[in-house]
């Protein structure tokens, strides 16, 4: 294989714990110095290609500035999702005072992690994964990475191979991502690594005592270990007219395609609910030229999650882009002959509607489980710190209620990255390891040109301290309870967000006194060290 090399700097350019992006020919490389030695890996996150040099270098790993994937800069290995691939690792040598990096002539900066080969003669067990979302696909790959050589069966009622669900209401919805770019892996990848994916397969019942799965088509399957990662199913509105055409929920690829096809011929849309799905859909429909009205029982969007000030900021951004709100109102009836024509509210108002999107949340898809006690509040699966629900059974993602290592509270989080993290941990434990889940929740949203990221988890708080300017959408908001930072919401603060995430993961978050004095310089203290040489 032909290689290209270049002098990328002097040995004294970087101090230990620093990194910067350099180029070798047309290949962009992340160069770092750890314990007196230089390392070179791919320069961009394997998830959405974020420039890693704008992230945070902490110890041996770099934190992506966008969605907090972690990579070991000495090997390129991925340590935390949301991406699936690792970084390419390049050769580095020192000649005199020159740092020289050598790369293959053709490289895309990433590589698939090494995986064990399927061999039923070595391992005759069958591991089954119910669900092909973030938790499912990360679990399947992690099983092979962890050395498992038995049979892997991933089962989904969807008609498509695993895809990036987060884009359904974001880039795919507004046409920035094509259908061809949505799959997380190709059919050949699953075939190469002997990961069976059963599509259009609906589970009727899981009999945990017999370790057997019954399907609605009459088929059955036994397992040695099971991961339940079926996610949530959209809540429906039980009101007159709910069966009319052009009333949709949005959860799957096919849901989005039906909405996009229908909306092309429509002028007026009503979104029921100011959830993230509802608000992102409202933004997407507005950007396609529809008149959009959001109906919500809340007084402000996201007030229970982000607080009133940031919630009102989202409301302001939507209203500036033509979206209308009907707050503290509920839909009580849909009108129309065959297709929906109007939405009737609880105060008697009648909203014309060519298309309706119902975004009032999801409930865990767990009604097929037999022999496992479900949580009385929401029918979620209660798991321990190893994500184990019962002997040989694990749960991950939207359905899993797990102990938060920071607060010891039992929580359930509906975030894509958490599902991916849990899928990886559950898979390791299915192979016989004992790895505790210590993941940190993170989600992101983009509505019009307003991005927001949220790390941690706070169901309630005593105070919110804001550093920055909300109106300029350049801020960091800290959610405090009992003098502890439980969560942080940020906008246009990529490097700072990565640093705060790492501080939270290390349990070294800024103190309340430090926050009150301002954080501009404090984030740069100690570890993690934010690279200043890019």
């Amino acid at each position: 294989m032909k290689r290209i090399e270049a002098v990328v700097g002097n040995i004294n350019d970087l101090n230990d714990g620093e990194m910067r992006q350099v180029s070798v020919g047309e290949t962009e490389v992340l160069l770092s110095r750890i314990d007196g030695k230089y390392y070179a890996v791919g320069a961009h996150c394997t998830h959405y290609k974020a420039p890693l040099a704008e992230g945070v270098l902490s110890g041996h790993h770099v934190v992506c500035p966008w969605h907090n994937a972690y990579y070991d800069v000495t090997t390129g290995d991925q340590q935390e999702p949301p991406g699936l691939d690792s970084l390419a690792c390049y050769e580095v040598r020192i000649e005199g005072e020159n740092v020289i990096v050598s790369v293959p002539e053709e490289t895309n900066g990433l590589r698939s992690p090494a995986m064990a080969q399927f061999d039923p003669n070595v391992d005759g067990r069958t591991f089954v994964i119910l669900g092909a979302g973030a938790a499912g696909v990360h679990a399947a790959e992690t099983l092979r990475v962890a050395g498992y050589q038995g049979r892997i069966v991933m089962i989904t009622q969807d008609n498509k191979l695993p895809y990036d669900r987060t884009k359904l209401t974001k880039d795919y919805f507004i046409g920035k991502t094509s259908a061809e770019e949505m799959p997380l892996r190709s059919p050949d990848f699953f075939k190469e690594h002997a990961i069976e994916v059963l599509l259009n397969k609906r589970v009727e019942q899981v009999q945990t005592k017999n370790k057997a799965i019954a399907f609605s088509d009459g088929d059955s399957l036994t397992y040695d270990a099971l991961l339940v990662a079926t996610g949530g199913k959209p809540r429906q509105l039980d009101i007159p007219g709910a069966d009319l055409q052009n009333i949709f929920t949005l959860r799957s690829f096919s849901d989005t395609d039906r909405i996009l096809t229908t909306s092309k011929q429509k002028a007026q849309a009503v979104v029921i609910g100011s959830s993230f799905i509802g608000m992102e859909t409202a933004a997407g429909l507005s950007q396609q030229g529809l008149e959009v009205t959001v109906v919500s029982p809340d007084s402000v969007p996201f007030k229970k999650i982000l607080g009133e000030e940031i919630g009102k900021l989202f409301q302001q951004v939507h209203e500036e882009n033509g979206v209308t709100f009907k707050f503290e109102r509920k839909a009580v009836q849909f009108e129309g002959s065959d297709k929906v024509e109007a939405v009737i509210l609880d105060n008697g108002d009648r909203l014309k509607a060519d298309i309706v999107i119902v975004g009032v949340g999801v409930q865990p898809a767990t009604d097929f489980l037999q022999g496992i006690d479900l949580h009385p509040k929401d029918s979620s699966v209660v798991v321990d710190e190893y994500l184990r629900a019962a002997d040989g059974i694990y749960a991950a993602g939207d359905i899993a209620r797990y102990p938060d290592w920071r607060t010891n509270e039992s929580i359930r989080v509906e975030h894509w990255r958490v599902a991916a993290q849990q899928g990886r941990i559950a898979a390791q434990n299915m192979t016989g390891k004992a790895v505790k889940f210590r993941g940190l929740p993170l989600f992101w949203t983009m509505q019009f040109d307003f991005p927001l990221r949220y790390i941690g988890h706070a169901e309630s708080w005593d105070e919110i301290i804001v550093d920055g300017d909300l109106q300029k959408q350049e801020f960091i908001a800290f959610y405090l309870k009992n003098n502890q930072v439980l969560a942080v919401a940020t906008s246009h603060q990529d490097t700072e967000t990565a640093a705060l995430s790492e501080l939270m993961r290390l349990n070294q978050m800024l103190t309340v006194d430090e926050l009150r004095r301002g954080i501009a310089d404090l984030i740069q203290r100690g570890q993690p060290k934010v690279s200043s040489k890019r």
Side-chain angles (χ1 to χ4, degrees):
M1 180 185 297
K2 292 184 178 180
R3 304 186 67 83
I4 302 173
E5 63 179 41
V7 175
V8 296
N10 184 278
I11 57 172
N12 297 313
D13 286 348
L14 297 181
N15 296 317
D16 278 348
E18 291 184 339
M19 62 181 176
R20 72 178 182 189
Q21 183 172 306
V22 298
S23 295
V24 180
E26 296 183 356
T27 300
E28 294 178 331
V29 174
L30 182 69
L31 184 72
S32 59
R33 178 172 167 169
I34 308 292
D35 297 330
K37 185 176 180 180
Y38 276 90
Y39 298 90
V41 295
H44 298 276
C45 179
T46 65
H47 181 224
Y48 287 171
K49 301 188 183 306
L52 293 173
E54 295 181 11
V56 167
L57 185 59
S58 175
H60 284 200
H61 68 249
V62 60
V63 185
C64 173
W66 290 359
H67 305 126
N68 291 40
Y70 281 54
Y71 302 93
D72 186 327
V73 294
T74 67
T75 64
D77 291 343
Q78 187 193 61
Q79 299 173 316
E80 288 279 359
L84 287 163
D85 287 315
S86 294
L87 300 172
C89 190
Y90 304 124
E91 296 176 9
V92 181
R93 72 178 191 274
I94 306 298
E95 290 187 1
E97 293 191 347
N98 291 329
V99 180
I100 301 172
V101 175
S102 173
V103 305
E105 191 173 45
E106 294 184 6
T107 177
N108 58 6
L110 55 83
R111 59 180 171 82
S112 294
M115 298 188 187
Q117 294 296 311
F118 171 57
D119 189 342
N121 295 318
V122 173
D123 193 331
R125 293 175 297 173
T126 296
F127 286 180
V128 174
I129 301 168
L130 296 183
V137 70
H138 278 267
E141 294 196 21
T142 300
L143 286 174
R144 290 286 184 242
V145 172
Y148 173 68
Q149 293 183 270
R151 185 184 182 196
I152 300 175
V153 185
M154 184 162 53
I155 299 164
T156 175
Q157 63 184 32
D158 211 321
N159 63 352
K160 295 183 183 295
L161 290 173
Y163 52 86
D164 189 342
R165 194 183 301 275
T166 65
K167 290 185 178 180
L168 291 178
T169 53
K170 299 180 180 72
D171 287 0
Y172 181 68
F173 200 91
I174 60 177
K176 289 186 177 180
T177 296
S178 68
E180 292 72 28
E181 295 173 294
M182 290 290 284
L184 296 172
R185 293 296 194 190
S186 69
D188 289 342
F189 178 91
F190 292 109
K191 183 178 180 180
E192 177 185 353
H193 298 290
I195 299 171
E196 300 175 46
V197 185
L198 305 185
L199 304 177
N200 298 305
K201 206 76 170 172
R202 186 179 297 274
V203 175
E204 191 72 26
Q205 189 178 78
V206 172
Q207 301 170 348
T208 58
K209 184 177 181 180
N210 302 326
K211 292 190 173 182
I213 303 170
F215 299 97
S216 58
D217 60 6
D219 288 347
S220 63
L221 178 67
T222 59
Y223 61 84
D224 294 283
L226 173 68
L227 172 62
V228 185
T230 44
K233 53 185 178 181
R235 298 183 184 276
Q236 306 286 343
L237 289 182
D238 185 16
I239 61 176
D243 58 347
L244 290 171
Q245 295 180 41
N246 296 344
I247 298 175
F248 303 95
T249 56
L250 201 166
R251 182 69 179 175
S252 67
F253 211 134
S254 57
D255 291 338
T256 303
D257 282 344
R258 285 194 293 268
I259 292 169
L260 292 175
T261 299
T262 303
S263 65
K264 290 179 181 179
Q265 309 296 327
K266 307 304 178 185
Q268 294 175 309
V270 173
V271 175
I272 310 295
S274 55
S275 64
F276 282 98
I277 292 293
M279 292 286 281
E280 288 178 356
T281 303
L285 291 171
S286 178
Q287 287 172 280
Q288 294 177 47
L290 280 75
E291 292 183 24
V292 180
T293 301
V294 176
V295 177
S296 173
D298 300 325
S299 59
V300 175
F302 313 132
K303 182 178 179 179
K304 296 178 181 178
I305 301 172
L306 300 174
E308 187 166 354
E309 281 191 285
I310 296 178
K312 284 185 176 180
L313 184 57
F314 273 100
Q315 177 185 343
Q316 175 185 323
V317 169
H318 275 255
E319 289 176 338
E320 289 173 352
N321 285 275
V323 176
T324 301
F325 288 91
K326 297 289 185 180
F327 287 121
E328 299 180 300
R329 296 270 69 93
K330 294 182 179 180
V332 296
Q333 182 179 351
F334 296 122
E335 284 187 348
S337 49
D338 295 326
K339 301 177 181 178
V340 67
E341 297 173 6
V343 179
I344 309 301
L345 304 186
D346 54 358
N347 65 349
D349 284 357
R350 185 178 189 274
L351 306 179
K352 291 183 179 180
D354 301 308
I355 182 172
V356 172
I357 313 298
V358 178
V360 293
V362 300
Q363 60 190 52
T366 57
D367 52 359
F368 53 84
L369 289 172
Q370 186 182 81
I372 293 181
D373 292 332
L374 302 178
H375 196 276
K377 178 181 178 181
D378 55 11
S379 295
S380 56
V381 180
V382 180
V383 298
D384 62 16
E385 58 191 349
Y386 302 99
L387 304 178
R388 181 175 50 214
D391 183 35
I393 302 177
Y394 298 82
D398 291 4
I399 68 167
R401 182 171 291 276
Y402 65 95
D404 185 343
W405 63 271
R406 296 184 305 142
T407 64
N408 292 319
E409 295 179 351
S410 177
I411 65 174
R412 185 174 72 86
V413 176
E414 298 172 0
H415 300 167
W416 176 264
R417 184 174 180 271
V418 169
Q421 290 173 303
Q422 291 182 342
R424 291 161 64 103
I425 298 299
Q428 293 180 60
N429 292 332
M430 290 169 75
T431 66
K433 297 180 180 179
V435 182
K436 295 180 181 181
F437 179 68
R438 287 177 60 88
L440 192 64
L442 176 143
F443 72 81
W444 62 92
T445 186
M446 170 67 83
Q447 298 174 33
F448 298 102
D449 292 323
F450 180 19
L452 181 129
R453 281 198 283 285
Y454 180 100
I455 52 179
H457 182 79
E459 295 187 2
S460 63
W461 53 84
D462 301 324
E463 180 183 6
I464 302 175
I465 295 179
V466 177
D467 185 273
D469 191 321
L470 289 176
Q471 285 303 312
K472 291 182 179 179
Q473 299 172 18
E474 297 176 358
F475 62 85
I476 303 173
F478 297 86
Y479 297 77
L480 311 179
K481 188 170 185 178
N482 298 326
N483 288 322
Q484 180 185 4
V485 178
L486 294 184
V488 179
T490 72
S491 183
H492 290 111
Q493 303 286 341
D494 290 349
T495 302
E496 291 81 359
T497 303
L500 288 166
S501 173
E502 180 66 351
L503 287 171
M504 192 177 290
R505 185 189 72 86
L506 295 171
N507 209 20
Q508 297 177 7
M509 179 51 74
L510 305 174
T511 67
V512 175
D513 288 340
E514 288 173 330
L515 292 177
R516 296 194 193 285
R517 292 198 301 267
I519 69 163
D521 297 322
L522 292 171
I523 290 178
Q524 306 262 354
R525 67 174 169 83
Q527 290 290 338
K529 187 171 185 178
V530 179
S531 171
S532 60
K533 297 187 178 183
R534 298 179 188 147

